[in-house]
Amino acid sequence: MMAPDTSSDSPIHASGQSCVIQEADLDRMMTRHEQLACLCDLLEACADSLPVWPTDTQAERLRLALGAFVEGEREGDAFITRIFGWGVQDPLAAALMRHVDARHTDDLVHAEDLIAALQAGPVPNGRISAETFGYMLRCFFAAGRQSMVLEEFAVLALGRDHLTASGQSLLFDSLCRRAS
């Protein structure tokens, strides 16, 4: 068996051959991003309603949505690492991938913190003030939105020679929507 070519920073299949980034992979990433965008919108609406704490029903809905996000991220396919993660010789590309991975970790931590805050409840029943909760919500949805943009830019930058025209268009359209 021939060792994979690690002299380039392009996506490589296990066979060692350069590849085209499959639109199915992009579709999975974009679906995850749309789910995260919806969660960010839901949490932003909650933040905008403060200092009124979410009702028990609303808090449960938020906990379930955040829990689904956490599970999805833990089971996630780590798209960038899977496509570009090994054989990358370019230090800038490697740093970009580490930054994307760090953003995913930050998103998980923010989500787990929000779940704990929702379980604790508001002051005086729990331990979280509306100001603290609002800050936590804003940390999650601001960072989550930045994570999506960074991941899409990373795929464009690292896979620029391996994306189909429709794959590039999908990423450009998504980035334009997120910029508005």
Side-chain angles (χ1 to χ4, degrees):
M1 180 171 157
M2 180 189 245
D5 175 15
T6 58
S7 63
S8 77
D9 54 345
S10 62
I12 305 291
H13 278 296
S15 68
Q17 300 299 313
S18 181
C19 66
V20 172
I21 296 173
Q22 300 299 314
E23 288 179 38
D25 288 326
L26 291 177
D27 287 341
R28 281 191 292 276
M29 180 185 74
M30 300 309 288
T31 298
R32 273 192 353 261
H33 286 185
E34 288 307 313
Q35 291 167 343
L36 177 55
C38 289
L39 178 58
C40 289
D41 291 346
L42 182 67
L43 296 174
E44 186 170 19
C46 180
D48 290 344
S49 297
L50 292 172
V52 176
W53 193 266
T55 66
D56 289 343
T57 302
Q58 292 167 330
E60 180 63 16
R61 179 178 176 210
L62 293 172
R63 277 195 305 270
L64 290 173
L66 287 161
F69 168 77
V70 167
E71 288 306 310
E73 283 294 296
R74 285 192 175 142
E75 295 172 4
D77 59 354
F79 178 72
I80 293 219
T81 302
R82 186 171 50 79
I83 298 297
F84 304 110
W86 63 278
V88 174
Q89 300 299 312
D90 178 16
L92 182 59
L96 181 56
M97 290 182 337
R98 284 192 306 273
H99 193 68
V100 169
D101 286 341
R103 286 290 184 133
H104 282 282
T105 300
D106 288 347
D107 292 344
L108 282 171
V109 170
H110 287 296
E112 290 169 341
D113 287 348
L114 281 170
I115 291 168
L118 286 162
Q119 289 170 336
V123 173
N125 299 336
R127 300 171 295 189
I128 305 296
S129 69
E131 294 81 13
T132 300
F133 186 57
Y135 177 77
M136 293 170 71
L137 289 165
R138 292 188 193 289
C139 285
F140 179 89
F141 64 75
R145 289 174 176 150
Q146 291 171 353
S147 292
M148 290 182 279
V149 168
L150 178 63
E151 189 169 14
E152 290 171 15
F153 271 128
V155 171
L156 278 169
L158 298 176
R160 64 189 165 271
D161 297 328
H162 302 279
L163 288 164
T164 63
S166 60
Q168 285 180 346
S169 179
L170 180 71
L171 290 166
F172 287 135
D173 291 347
S174 177
L175 287 166
C176 289
R177 276 193 317 275
R178 294 187 201 297
S180 57

